Amino acid sequence: MVHVRSIHVDKPNQHGDWLQHITSSETKDQLARHYKMLQEHLKTQPELLLKGQEMVEILAALNLDPDSLLAALYSPAYQAQCVTANTIEKQTDLHDLVQLLDAVQQMQMISDLQHFQHGKPNAEQIDNVRRMLLSMVADVRAVLIKLAERICRLREVKKDDEETRVLVAKECQDIYAPLANRLGIGQLKWELEDLAFRYLHPQTYKSIAKQLHERRMDRENYIEQFVADLSHGLQQEGVQADVYGRPKHIYSIWRKMQKKHLSFEQLYDIRAVRVITQSLKDCYAALGVVHSQCRHIQSEFDDYIATPKANGYQSIHTVVIGPEQKHVEIQIRTAEMHDDAELGVAAHWLYKEGAATKTSGFEEKIAWLRKLLAWHEDMAENDELVAEVRSQVFEDRVYVFTPKGEVIDLPQGATPLDFAYYIHSQVGHRCVGAKVDGHIVPFTYTLKNGQRVEILTQKAVNPRRDWLNPTLGYLRTSRARSKVITYFKKLDRDKNLKAGREMLETELAKFDIPVNRASSVLERFNFNQLDDLLAAIGAGDVRLNQVVNQLKPAPDTTQDRLERLQRKPQRTGNTKQGDVSVQGIGNLMVQFAKCCQPLPGEPIMGFVTQGRGVSVHHDDCEQLKHLLQEHPERGIQVHWSNTDKGRYRADLQIDADDRSGLLHDITAILANEKITVAQLGSQTDTSTHQASISLGVFIENQTILQRLVARLLQVSGIHKVERSGSH
């Protein structure tokens, strides 16, 4: 049955009835003081103050801390932006109230889950839900305040139109009632379910309520006598317990009728009794007394103490045949179990202990997260809320905890080494072992939701190269793998320095240029020392031909070159006649620069070369800028011709994790895009298991190239695609 509120439906209660469940006089005074302050801000919207009072009344019964009750009082006005964060922060006794109110506001993302069943969720929605779930783990009080707010909303829509009532009821039935159930908060769960059921199935609700009312007097007299007899029997056996009749909720009656295909008259638990004992031992002693007094129905016996429900609920359920052959359902539990069943997570959460303990309670956080995951599964079963969300929010992510209880969000399949490198590079480099939930596990162990991970380190330890082998399964995230690759690149500096010097000396010898001359181009490549540049060449971070081009001898004058070019027949190379027009000069040999390979549609500029015509560059090309600094007179305006279309070559450099089938996946994309391949080659570094692939293609324009690059980046293992020698 739904609860009866003490708050008046028409105007805010000014007589303190809404504070009747609060035992602390200090908390009462604090709430009353802030109530008066809110009155000044809400003179034109008293309904917001009424809603705040009502939420306080609901949450006071859950024994929440003063900050939570204050947040409940302020929440409606804060959500409506009638009270701002600045206004609240001026009150010196509010501490972290704004942060808690923001967490409640973030809970609004739950509503996104309703819309997922009508179509595929986008990335932003999924990210919102993920952040919401993490914030729920951080502060459970926000969830309890939101549940109270939804109960108030259900009460409010009683006089609204049917469409509004159904929408609100559907949201509460599909999302918030399962959440309250998973948290074991019976007080809120039952009212959410009964109110939602009342709006969604009004005729059925009224029918069951009428049948309950018609038998109410007889039922109450029967239960009163049954309770007296059972209490006397328990007392004789020395079992201390409170025995009383309990209300039966209409929604639970209807669910049982549907589940077991029973009529109202066939239900066993219309008459229900609860026995609250002092200890676990007394529960089973009380069960013995019950079964000795009345014959029980074997099929209706459930021991949820020995096997608790998924939300932690514990109790013994049995149905007996009482006087007059009438069935009575009896629940037997300890006082602690009763608090857990009624208040759920609020019964034992550490906020009741004060602010000093808010960061403790790691085990509670893990249990809390597991309940959230299970709640999401409940909703997937409830209206088949799309499996797409479940897979993208949960199945592609794993949420684990540090020893301090902080939540770490990792990709699904992550290992303890991935976790270590997420925390810090040095933690990963020095990792010698890992514990999961207190047990030593191998580096290849796959982490699961809700686990506690502890990394064991030593100062004199370094990463191993076999960590980079994808087939061994040490690292599953690109973030961790890139940190290990960077480590070995630095470690291999001496080897790279030697190789880079030999490579550059060999190329510069063709032009009789000493290698020390490369010091003049250090600033161009953002290095301070020559050895740094040489090591970068050896590691492949700087392309050898770029350095050599900067150090080649300068050609002759522009005017001589232009005159020679006009006398030479044009060589088209990869270009076609009319691809590029040279401003003011006709019949010139034109070629595209290999350093940046501009494509039709991109901004371009020409540079008059020695013996090779006009070299066309992207106007942003670094090599062009350097050439123009030395010879500004050789720059010449060029532009694309609009009359001709053709195919143009573009060279791409692809960096990827080496794996079987990589080239097959790349060539499949090229075939699907109908792109002609000019050149394809690959090199593999066996020490790091990295592949470097050079790809030359013929394309029509920049748009096609951008689409090709985007498709390649979607291939598993590829982490970089860029134009060779691009600006």
Side-chain angles (χ1 to χ4, degrees):
M1 301 291 285
V2 298
H3 291 188
V4 178
R5 54 181 169 171
S6 60
I7 305 301
H8 195 278
V9 295
D10 296 323
K11 62 180 180 179
N13 186 295
Q14 303 180 29
H15 304 292
D17 292 347
W18 58 291
L19 301 174
Q20 61 182 337
H21 296 293
I22 300 173
T23 56
S24 168
S25 58
E26 183 180 351
T27 302
K28 281 186 178 181
D29 292 342
Q30 186 183 35
L31 287 167
R33 184 169 68 254
H34 286 282
Y35 165 79
K36 291 181 180 179
M37 191 201 79
L38 279 171
Q39 275 186 314
E40 297 298 319
H41 291 276
L42 303 175
K43 288 181 179 179
T44 60
Q45 293 178 288
E47 70 278 1
L48 297 177
L49 190 55
L50 170 65
K51 189 173 182 178
Q53 288 179 287
E54 193 171 358
M55 289 170 63
V56 170
E57 182 185 23
I58 293 170
L59 295 175
L62 300 181
N63 301 323
L64 288 193
D65 63 307
D67 283 351
S68 300
L69 300 180
L70 271 177
L73 183 63
Y74 273 91
S75 183
Y78 189 76
Q79 307 303 320
Q81 299 182 342
C82 295
V83 176
T84 65
N86 290 334
T87 303
I88 296 174
E89 288 170 348
K90 291 178 182 178
Q91 308 298 315
T92 57
D93 62 339
L94 295 188
H95 306 298
D96 301 325
L97 184 61
V98 172
Q99 186 175 355
L100 181 53
L101 287 169
D102 287 338
V104 176
Q105 194 167 31
Q106 197 172 31
M107 291 286 296
Q108 185 59 34
M109 294 176 192
I110 287 184
S111 297
D112 290 346
L113 294 175
Q114 274 197 307
H115 306 302
F116 289 172
Q117 59 188 322
H118 303 303
K120 186 174 180 179
N122 59 41
E124 183 180 358
Q125 288 173 316
I126 293 171
D127 186 57
N128 284 343
V129 174
R130 180 179 289 125
R131 287 189 289 110
M132 175 202 70
L133 294 174
L134 291 177
S135 70
M136 288 164 69
V137 173
D139 200 333
V140 66
R141 298 177 300 174
V143 184
L144 301 177
I145 294 170
K146 185 65 178 179
L147 290 175
E149 185 267 331
R150 287 292 88 189
I151 289 177
C152 292
R153 180 62 180 147
L154 279 172
R155 293 172 176 175
E156 287 174 357
V157 298
K158 181 179 180 180
K159 297 182 179 179
D160 286 358
D161 59 88
E162 183 179 0
E163 182 180 1
T164 302
R165 291 198 304 270
V166 169
L167 287 175
V168 174
K170 194 78 167 61
E171 179 185 48
C172 290
Q173 183 188 69
D174 290 348
I175 296 178
Y176 292 99
L179 178 56
N181 177 55
R182 277 291 168 182
L183 303 182
I185 310 174
Q187 285 190 17
L188 304 186
K189 166 186 172 285
W190 292 324
E191 186 162 9
L192 284 166
E193 288 179 340
D194 274 9
L195 284 171
F197 181 63
R198 180 178 183 175
Y199 299 142
L200 294 173
H201 305 278
Q203 297 304 320
T204 307
Y205 179 92
K206 290 177 182 178
S207 174
I208 296 175
K210 182 179 179 181
Q211 292 180 79
L212 282 173
H213 181 73
E214 287 175 348
R215 293 164 175 77
R216 180 177 178 182
M217 187 64 69
D218 293 337
R219 189 171 66 253
E220 288 180 353
N221 291 336
Y222 184 90
I223 289 296
E224 184 178 349
Q225 185 59 48
F226 187 92
V227 166
D229 293 342
L230 180 55
S231 297
H232 180 69
L234 293 171
Q235 189 175 4
Q236 283 187 323
E237 295 297 326
V239 178
Q240 295 184 351
D242 294 326
V243 184
Y244 58 89
R246 66 180 184 88
K248 190 62 184 175
H249 298 276
I250 292 177
Y251 179 75
S252 64
I253 291 174
W254 177 78
R255 280 289 300 273
K256 185 160 289 189
M257 291 168 62
Q258 296 295 310
K259 182 179 179 181
K260 298 190 175 183
H261 306 289
L262 299 174
S263 65
F264 184 84
E265 291 75 12
Q266 293 174 303
L267 292 178
Y268 292 146
D269 54 356
I270 299 303
R271 290 164 291 276
V273 170
R274 184 170 288 149
V275 180
I276 308 297
T277 68
Q278 300 299 314
S279 67
L280 177 62
K281 179 183 66 175
D282 288 341
C283 288
Y284 290 97
L287 178 65
V289 173
V290 170
H291 285 181
S292 66
Q293 286 190 350
C294 304
R295 182 164 56 90
H296 74 284
I297 301 175
Q298 187 70 34
S299 62
E300 297 299 318
F301 176 79
D302 291 296
D303 187 353
Y304 294 119
I305 293 179
T307 309
K309 289 186 177 182
N311 62 1
Y313 174 85
Q314 289 184 291
S315 184
I316 296 173
H317 290 194
T318 186
V319 176
V320 300
I321 302 175
E324 304 174 25
Q325 297 299 300
K326 292 182 177 180
H327 297 99
V328 181
E329 184 194 58
I330 301 175
Q331 295 179 355
I332 306 172
R333 62 179 70 147
T334 66
E336 183 179 358
M337 294 174 188
H338 179 65
D339 284 343
D340 284 343
E342 294 294 304
L343 308 179
V345 69
H348 52 78
W349 199 260
L350 298 180
Y351 290 116
K352 292 188 291 183
E353 302 297 329
T357 62
K358 288 182 184 179
T359 58
S360 60
F362 169 76
E363 287 75 13
E364 286 86 348
K365 280 195 175 184
I366 288 189
W368 166 230
L369 179 59
R370 286 173 177 156
K371 287 174 181 176
L372 286 181
L373 302 181
W375 159 64
H376 196 277
E377 295 298 326
D378 284 348
M379 288 191 299
E381 295 167 5
N382 243 1
D383 244 345
E384 298 184 353
L385 283 171
V386 290
E388 179 74 21
V389 181
R390 187 171 68 249
S391 65
Q392 294 200 40
V393 174
F394 295 117
E395 292 181 3
D396 71 334
R397 310 301 299 176
V398 58
Y399 299 94
V400 293
F401 294 86
T402 68
K404 293 183 179 180
E406 298 172 355
V407 180
I408 302 299
D409 177 9
L410 295 170
Q412 184 74 26
T415 66
L417 273 178
D418 291 312
F419 175 90
Y421 276 105
Y422 184 94
I423 300 301
H424 196 277
S425 297
Q426 290 303 315
V427 175
H429 292 340
R430 298 174 179 177
C431 178
V432 294
K435 288 184 177 181
V436 172
D437 290 338
H439 302 289
I440 295 290
V441 297
F443 284 160
T444 55
Y445 178 84
T446 300
L447 298 177
K448 300 177 181 63
N449 277 312
Q451 291 182 325
R452 173 187 177 181
V453 185
E454 180 182 357
I455 300 299
L456 309 177
T457 61
Q458 289 182 3
K459 288 186 177 180
V461 176
N462 294 315
R464 305 199 308 263
R465 289 187 185 272
D466 60 354
W467 288 359
L468 294 170
N469 187 340
T471 62
L472 297 180
Y474 288 109
L475 298 172
R476 309 268 176 81
T477 65
S478 57
R479 172 174 176 167
R481 189 175 291 108
S482 66
K483 289 184 176 182
V484 177
I485 292 172
T486 300
Y487 171 86
F488 283 113
K489 278 188 176 181
K490 292 179 180 179
L491 191 66
D492 294 339
R493 175 180 167 83
D494 291 341
K495 181 176 69 175
N496 293 334
L497 176 60
K498 180 180 179 181
R501 182 181 294 277
E502 291 176 355
M503 293 164 62
L504 188 59
E505 283 180 342
T506 300
E507 288 300 313
L508 292 182
K510 300 175 182 177
F511 304 96
D512 295 326
I513 300 174
V515 73
N516 292 338
R517 183 80 62 83
S519 298
S520 62
V521 296
L522 289 177
E523 185 176 354
R524 156 75 176 79
F525 293 98
N526 296 319
F527 290 105
N528 296 322
Q529 297 181 359
L530 179 58
D531 283 355
D532 293 337
L533 174 61
L534 296 175
I537 294 173
D541 295 333
V542 172
R543 299 192 181 282
L544 177 63
N545 65 331
Q546 290 181 325
V547 180
V548 173
N549 287 338
Q550 300 297 318
L551 298 172
K552 284 181 180 179
D556 54 8
T557 66
T558 305
Q559 187 60 38
D560 292 341
R561 191 172 312 151
L562 286 174
E563 291 175 358
R564 267 199 317 276
L565 291 175
Q566 288 178 305
R567 291 193 296 269
K568 288 185 178 182
Q570 183 175 3
R571 294 175 297 167
T572 60
N574 287 332
T575 65
K576 293 184 175 67
Q577 181 69 29
D579 285 345
V580 174
S581 298
V582 182
Q583 181 176 330
I585 303 173
N587 196 28
L588 278 183
M589 181 173 64
V590 176
Q591 66 176 2
F592 292 130
K594 293 183 178 180
C595 57
C596 56
Q597 293 183 324
L599 295 173
E602 294 182 333
I604 55 175
M605 186 170 182
F607 185 84
V608 180
T609 66
Q610 182 177 7
R612 292 181 289 111
V614 175
S615 178
V616 179
H617 295 256
H618 194 290
D619 69 354
D620 225 4
C621 177
E622 290 293 332
Q623 185 167 337
L624 174 65
K625 292 179 181 178
H626 182 72
L627 292 172
L628 291 176
Q629 283 180 353
E630 295 185 356
H631 304 283
E633 73 281 358
R634 297 184 187 174
I636 190 167
Q637 294 296 322
V638 296
H639 59 84
W640 297 102
S641 170
N642 294 324
T643 59
D644 240 7
K645 291 186 178 180
R647 294 191 304 168
Y648 306 86
R649 174 161 175 163
D651 290 322
L652 301 176
Q653 185 65 34
I654 303 172
D655 293 340
D657 299 331
D658 186 30
R659 64 172 175 83
S660 175
L662 178 62
L663 288 177
H664 175 271
D665 292 345
I666 293 174
T667 54
I669 289 177
L670 296 172
N672 290 337
E673 295 291 329
K674 298 181 180 179
I675 290 176
T676 302
V677 178
Q679 175 262 334
L680 178 64
S682 67
Q683 291 182 338
T684 301
D685 187 337
T686 57
S687 63
T688 62
H689 298 279
Q690 297 294 297
S692 178
I693 301 170
S694 57
L695 173 64
V697 295
F698 289 109
I699 58 174
E700 295 180 1
N701 53 52
Q702 184 185 14
T703 302
I704 296 176
L705 178 63
Q706 290 174 342
R707 185 171 69 241
L708 173 61
V709 170
R711 290 289 306 277
L712 290 172
L713 286 171
Q714 294 175 357
V715 174
S716 175
I718 292 181
H719 43 78
K720 185 168 71 173
V721 179
E722 62 178 14
R723 296 264 296 280
S724 299
S726 60
H727 52 279

